[in-house]
Amino acid sequence: MKADPHPWACDLSQLYAEVWGRLTRGVHDRHALARHPTLATVSPEGRPQARTVVLRAADKAAGTLDIHTDLRSAKVGDLRATPFTALHVWDASAHLQLRLEAHVTLLTGPDVAAIWASMPAGSRLSYGSTPAPGQPIAQALDYTKAADPAFFVILRLAVATVDALHLGPHHRRARFDRDDDWAGMWLAP
């Protein structure tokens, strides 16, 4: 039998480090597979919602992830009603599925001013379009983009759990919990 191409998947502490290494790489590398995770919320009507987002910050020590969005987006309304989310990442190169559960805090105004100031002007145009995101328009391009810091919000995800499934020669699955100081435990895959 061939050696496992991902030896980090055999040890809980190495697997946890790999999870955060891949999330951090997603923040800094446009080509990293963790850059565009799927964010799941629940609408105020109780319906599941999922969308691809861009990972903007990952802090292993704090156990947090940041996503930027427009304050008027549906996901913000979902999170105001139910401030919990699930984040899904499939990293095909590592045969690694990550499912994270998190409590979300919405950061706006003075809390995000420094990040807004450091953003390229072109990126700022994603926050402040008219009409608001998701509103009906007559034609595909009947909207205008204008940078408006009043509509810029950071979704700060305080990760509560990480479920990591490695689909190597031998499937391995582990769960890491904030409440257990991220010690980790093996689960049946």
Side-chain angles (χ1 to χ4, degrees):
M1 181 189 291
K2 287 187 202 176
D4 193 328
H6 303 117
W8 45 260
C10 302
D11 176 82
L12 284 171
S13 63
Q14 289 181 36
L15 177 56
Y16 184 71
E18 188 71 23
V19 165
W20 280 97
R22 289 185 180 273
L23 291 169
T24 301
R25 204 165 20 260
V27 172
H28 303 290
D29 179 356
R30 291 181 175 272
H31 303 291
L33 296 173
R35 181 157 182 91
H36 297 104
T38 301
L39 179 81
T41 59
V42 177
S43 74
E45 298 78 32
R47 296 183 179 186
Q49 303 294 315
R51 74 280 285 157
T52 302
V53 295
V54 179
L55 197 56
R56 297 297 184 181
D59 184 336
K60 179 183 176 187
T64 60
L65 302 169
D66 286 356
I67 295 162
H68 300 174
T69 195
D70 188 297
L71 187 63
R72 301 163 299 159
S73 69
K75 70 180 97 34
V76 171
D78 294 351
L79 292 166
R80 283 187 168 141
T82 305
F84 299 97
T85 189
L87 197 72
H88 177 265
V89 175
W90 169 245
D91 190 325
S93 67
H95 307 275
L96 184 63
Q97 173 185 262
L98 304 177
R99 294 184 313 130
L100 298 90
E101 295 177 358
H103 179 268
V104 181
T105 301
L106 305 174
L107 304 175
T108 60
D111 293 332
V112 301
I115 293 170
W116 175 264
S118 70
M119 290 172 57
S123 296
R124 292 181 191 171
L125 291 174
S126 295
Y127 315 101
S129 65
T130 302
Q135 296 302 305
I137 53 178
Q139 301 292 322
L141 299 178
D142 284 351
Y143 63 90
T144 57
K145 288 187 159 258
D148 188 338
F151 295 118
F152 177 60
V153 61
I154 294 176
L155 309 179
R156 171 79 37 90
L157 282 63
V159 177
T161 65
V162 175
D163 187 303
L165 174 63
H166 179 254
L167 300 175
H170 299 285
H171 295 185
R172 291 181 175 90
R173 182 178 175 193
R175 178 181 169 110
F176 303 91
D177 292 284
R178 178 183 291 272
D179 291 342
D180 193 25
D181 202 25
W182 308 113
M185 69 171 71
W186 293 111
L187 303 174

